[in-house]
Amino acid sequence: MPYATLDQLIDRYGTPVLINLTDRAEIPAGVINQAVIDRVLADTDAVIDGYLEKRYALPVTDVPPMLADIGQAIAIYKLHVFQPDQKIEDEYREAMRMLREIADGRITLTIAGKPAAGSGSSGARLTDRERPLTEQNLKGFI
């Protein structure tokens, strides 16, 4: 399931913006180019999956609102051929920061109970070994 959809992008940014960013024909058709949108959304999904694969089982079936928001910010940034305005760039940087925090475990997602398989250990690991300092070998120091 994609993290962002065309309908979400239209709701957030509007049809005229998306037409302007996707209609790249020599003679503009005045419609949203679905092929451009599909390519950008696939690239966005790949970026997000790259950050999530360490901590969560993929594919994500129920997309949390936070990931949908991140996906929209990345997709609109990627649609820009030239320098985007400051707001778009700031949202993109914030989305990438959040992805890094998700990958590091500082932000935890509740994704339908599908955390990635761990190492099997839970908690501290102790190794019991011979004690190097005993009463016998510390005579004179104690």
Side-chain angles (χ1 to χ4, degrees), residues 6 10 13-25 28-33 37 79:
L6 175 58
I10 290 172
Y13 300 104
T15 302
V17 171
L18 293 174
I19 290 172
N20 188 32
L21 293 173
T22 63
D23 192 4
R24 299 174 183 167
V31 295
I32 296 172
N33 186 334
I37 292 288
L79 280 172

Side-chain angles (χ1 to χ4, degrees), residues 20-71:
N20 188 32
L21 293 173
T22 63
D23 192 4
R24 299 174 183 167
E26 192 68 33
I27 300 173
V31 295
I32 296 172
N33 186 334
Q34 188 67 44
V36 173
I37 292 288
D38 291 343
R39 186 172 55 248
V40 164
L41 291 178
D43 291 347
T44 299
D45 290 349
V47 168
I48 294 173
D49 283 347
Y51 282 93
L52 294 182
E53 70 185 354
K54 288 182 181 179
R55 299 214 174 257
Y56 299 98
L58 299 176
V60 175
T61 53
D62 287 333
V63 177
M66 180 186 298
L67 284 183
D69 185 56
I70 289 171

Side-chain angles (χ1 to χ4, degrees), residues 94-116:
E94 177 66 14
M96 296 307 292
R97 183 193 63 77
M98 290 176 72
L99 281 177
R100 284 189 295 276
E101 288 188 8
I102 290 169
D104 293 341
R106 287 179 278 191
I107 295 176
T108 304
L109 300 173
T110 53
I111 300 179
K114 292 184 171 181

